[in-house]
Amino acid sequence: MQRRSPRHALLAALACAALLTASAIARPSATPTVTLYAAGDIATCHGQSDEQTAKLLKSTTGPIAALGDLVYPDGTEEDFRNCFDPSWGPLTPRIRAALGNHEYNSGSAQAAIDRFHLPPNGWYAYKAGSWHIVVLNSNCDDVACGRGSPQWRWLRSDLAKHPSLCTLAYWHAPRFSSGLHGSSATMAPLWNLLARAHADVVLSGHDHDYERFAPIDGIREFVVGTGGAEHYPIIFTRDSSVVHNTAAFGVLRLRLGLGSYAWRFLPAGGSAFTDAGSGRCRR
């Protein structure tokens, strides 16, 4: 067997290193930017605003965070067939829904749970690119939200399992809001868990307006109750509220990247209102 000279061994090693470098450069990123769309308080059997927001989304791809009160008045299967399906129905395969109070007007929210393949308790998590997404249930009269409750324990465990990811959470009733319903104190224990885990973004609906807050406890919160139901007024502007609008329907677009995010409100029906910006994850 012929032995290679040290010079030949060095050349071979250099060639191998060059191949590995070229391969690493050519390899596509494992965590591309994902675009998430969000809106709540959506479909009614009167007016065309939900048709306008659906039209916006039908020209896009990517998951849709539906922030509760998916269909009025009562979230029944009949309401879905008559009021939701003509506008947002074709978007159903893309929707990752949170349950609103109008879903529970039917008694159990079962129509929405069945349609969107939700767990019976309404809380779950999924991954969007490099981001960890958490969906919670803010109907605290129907499912407990307090410290030590099953939902609280689940969230604490889920966040502990994903300590290094950017985190976005959403549910229906906002922790903070300047709108008609105001802030939901019952969501404070779940919000506090998210804050301690360095979550980045929270989305909600319930108040039929758009509002963005400066980071509170490190979390930037958006109220996006602009999916189609009639607007509510702003009652008084809360501390840390940066932008609010009670006239535009539309959806919030979030581009979720590696360690960062960017948002833009996309208005429907010819409105000129928008809101845009960007931020970095806290971890």
Side-chain angles (χ1 to χ4, degrees), residues 178-179 209-213 223 233-238 241-248 273-275:
S178 303
D209 56 53
Y210 174 82
E211 186 169 23
R212 172 171 59 86
F213 286 83
V223 179
I234 293 292
I235 301 303
F236 66 93
T237 302
R238 293 191 60 89
S241 178
V242 177
V243 176
H244 54 72
N245 180 280
T246 60
F273 170 77
T274 192
D275 177 47

Side-chain angles (χ1 to χ4, degrees), residues 33-279:
T33 296
V34 170
T35 302
L36 177 73
Y37 298 89
D41 307 279
I42 298 168
T44 70
C45 276
H46 56 273
Q48 298 179 330
S49 300
D50 55 327
E51 296 174 5
Q52 293 168 354
T53 56
K55 183 178 179 180
L56 276 178
L57 290 167
K58 287 172 183 176
S59 63
T60 69
T61 59
I64 299 168
L67 306 176
D69 283 4
L70 311 170
V71 64
Y72 294 84
D74 297 321
T76 63
E77 183 55 38
E78 182 180 8
D79 289 339
F80 274 106
R81 285 196 306 269
N82 293 338
C83 306
F84 185 91
D85 285 347
S87 57
W88 278 57
L91 300 167
T92 297
R94 296 169 53 192
I95 289 174
R96 306 291 180 265
L99 294 173
N101 53 293
H102 278 267
E103 276 71 69
Y104 280 93
N105 282 355
S106 65
S108 65
Q110 197 61 49
I113 288 168
D114 291 344
R115 175 173 286 249
F116 299 105
H117 308 291
L118 305 181
N121 52 32
W123 59 78
Y124 60 100
Y126 62 95
K127 189 175 180 182
S130 60
W131 282 64
H132 184 59
I133 312 295
V134 177
V135 185
L136 298 176
N137 190 339
S138 63
N139 294 280
C140 301
D141 290 336
D142 298 281
V143 296
C145 303
R147 181 181 177 86
S149 66
Q151 184 169 203
W152 186 92
R153 294 197 305 271
W154 174 86
L155 178 61
R156 182 180 61 175
S157 174
D158 179 78
L159 294 171
K161 293 173 184 175
H162 303 89
S164 62
L165 296 180
C166 301
T167 301
L168 180 151
Y170 60 91
W171 57 82
H172 183 57
R175 175 65 188 92
F176 301 101
S177 173
S178 303
L180 182 65
H181 291 301
S183 303
S184 175
T186 57
M187 291 302 290
L190 300 174
W191 174 280
N192 292 340
L193 280 179
L194 289 162
R196 287 200 295 271
H198 299 97
D200 303 286
V201 176
V202 163
L203 312 174
S204 295
H206 199 38
D207 275 327
H208 299 185
D209 56 53
Y210 174 82
E211 186 169 23
R212 172 171 59 86
F213 286 83
I216 301 172
D217 301 326
I219 301 172
R220 179 171 276 118
E221 187 202 53
F222 298 82
V223 179
V224 197
T226 55
E230 67 280 0
H231 288 108
Y232 289 168
I234 293 292
I235 301 303
F236 66 93
T237 302
R238 293 191 60 89
D239 292 343
S240 300
S241 178
V242 177
V243 176
H244 54 72
N245 180 280
T246 60
F249 295 101
V251 301
L252 183 66
R253 184 185 70 197
L254 290 144
R255 298 196 188 281
L256 307 177
L258 186 62
S260 66
Y261 60 96
W263 72 87
R264 178 174 292 276
F265 182 82
L266 306 178
S271 171
F273 170 77
T274 192
D275 177 47
S278 62

